[in-house]
Amino acid sequence: MFQRPNYLKQLIQFKDSDFIKVITGVRRSGKSVLLMLYKEYLLQEGVKEDHIIYMNFESFDYQTITTEENFRQKLNALLPEDSNKIYLLFDEIQLVEGWQRVINGIRVSYNSDISITG
């Protein structure tokens, strides 16, 4: 994996803020790699793996999640039941119709840190 220390540092500066971090760029520019680097950083910082939810909507596991309702159902199954901070990393979020409502709902309802690419 190609390291991107400058971009990772910028992402880390907004960790635990109320901002939804949006990573943009042309295809094949490293957005997904940056999201994975952020996940690795969180794990190294002691965040429990079950409090990091990573979904790549291009991957085989998540290709069937194409609607707001599918997305909400999957998240309900993955969200931990305690009140500790949850880190949500969504790659290629634009593939889910109605994703904006779900993301905003999570932001106002949970102790969360949200990063997306698309």
Side-chain angles (χ1 to χ4, degrees):
M1 192 173 341
F2 186 76
Q3 299 297 311
R4 291 174 164 71
N6 292 331
Y7 293 121
L8 181 59
K9 183 179 177 184
Q10 289 178 22
L11 195 55
I12 291 168
Q13 286 178 334
F14 290 98
K15 177 182 175 282
D16 297 332
S17 69
D18 195 37
F19 293 111
I20 297 173
K21 286 143 310 279
V22 181
I23 303 166
T24 62
V26 297
R27 280 192 72 67
R28 312 295 305 156
S29 63
K31 300 179 297 290
S32 298
V33 170
L34 182 57
L35 209 55
M36 291 303 298
L37 290 169
Y38 187 53
K39 180 181 178 184
E40 286 179 12
Y41 166 81
L42 293 171
L43 291 168
Q44 290 172 357
E45 289 295 303
V47 176
K48 292 188 220 171
E49 194 157 3
D50 67 339
H51 282 69
I52 302 171
I53 298 174
Y54 171 82
M55 292 182 178
N56 180 340
F57 294 102
E58 285 187 324
S59 74
F60 185 77
D61 291 337
Y62 298 111
Q63 280 181 341
T64 59
I65 300 174
T66 58
T67 66
E68 177 182 341
E69 188 55 36
N70 296 139
F71 189 22
R72 186 175 284 108
Q73 287 174 354
K74 184 63 174 180
L75 278 175
N76 279 331
L78 295 174
L79 289 168
E81 295 190 17
D82 59 38
S83 61
N84 294 331
K85 177 77 76 175
I86 316 161
Y87 295 86
L88 300 132
L89 314 174
F90 301 119
D91 200 0
E92 302 295 345
I93 191 81
Q94 80 280 0
L95 297 174
V96 179
E97 189 175 321
W99 64 268
Q100 301 91 332
R101 286 174 39 93
V102 177
I103 295 295
N104 195 49
I106 291 168
R107 186 187 62 76
V108 300
S109 301
Y110 291 93
N111 182 11
S112 61
D113 180 281
I114 303 169
S115 300
I116 63 175
T117 75

